[in-house]
Amino acid sequence: MDLCHPEPAELSSGETEELQRIKWHRKQLLEDIQKLKDEIADVFAQIDCFESAEESRMAQKEKELCIGRKKFNMDPAKGIQYFIEHKLLTPDVQDIARFLYKGEGLNKTAIGTYLGE
């Protein structure tokens, strides 16, 4: 006699009913597991989409920073205006001062010109 799968003839009617309930619950659990797998796959897809969008935003911001630096190095006032218009910098003088102090990619002569104006 196989303990895991007894022959239906060897079971009483109560045991047969219990076996049917167990099989039904097993089926429900497997369906629930599949639903959870599908939901998890959806969440991972959304995360991937979000990460792609975030990477795209970061690339766009980096591109705008690069353009702003070039504009600043050619005409400091227009460069600062570009940064403010693209919300890469606020019009607050302390924010502008921090930006100039860091000077990442900025021409020192252009910084001096801007400060001299």
Side-chain angles (χ1 to χ4, degrees):
M1 177 175 146
D2 185 1
L3 293 177
C4 292
H5 300 288
E7 293 295 320
E10 298 174 4
L11 299 176
S12 69
S13 64
E15 291 172 332
T16 303
E17 288 176 18
E18 184 65 24
L19 182 60
Q20 291 304 318
R21 277 195 295 276
I22 290 171
K23 286 180 179 180
W24 182 83
H25 283 294
R26 180 179 182 270
K27 181 182 174 217
Q28 295 301 312
L29 288 172
L30 289 173
E31 288 174 3
D32 289 345
I33 288 169
Q34 187 58 49
K35 286 178 188 175
L36 289 172
K37 284 181 181 180
D38 293 343
E39 289 177 18
I40 289 170
D42 285 346
V43 168
F44 277 118
Q46 290 173 1
I47 289 171
D48 288 343
C49 183
F50 175 76
E51 287 175 347
S52 295
E54 189 65 24
E55 288 171 3
S56 177
R57 279 191 287 267
M58 294 300 286
Q60 180 65 27
K61 184 177 178 181
E62 190 59 39
K63 180 180 176 184
E64 289 174 349
L65 281 169
C66 186
I67 290 170
R69 287 181 191 120
K70 287 179 182 177
K71 285 185 180 281
F72 181 87
N73 290 336
M74 293 187 330
D75 184 340
K78 287 183 180 177
I80 294 294
Q81 188 61 38
Y82 177 87
F83 284 116
I84 292 170
E85 287 171 0
H86 288 83
K87 298 184 182 355
L88 300 169
L89 199 57
T90 67
D92 178 48
V93 292
Q94 290 182 342
D95 194 24
I96 294 171
R98 266 188 245 105
F99 174 73
L100 295 174
Y101 180 75
K102 286 182 181 177
E104 295 173 1
L106 303 179
N107 182 304
K108 303 301 180 205
T109 304
I111 294 172
T113 300
Y114 182 78
L115 293 174
E117 291 177 356

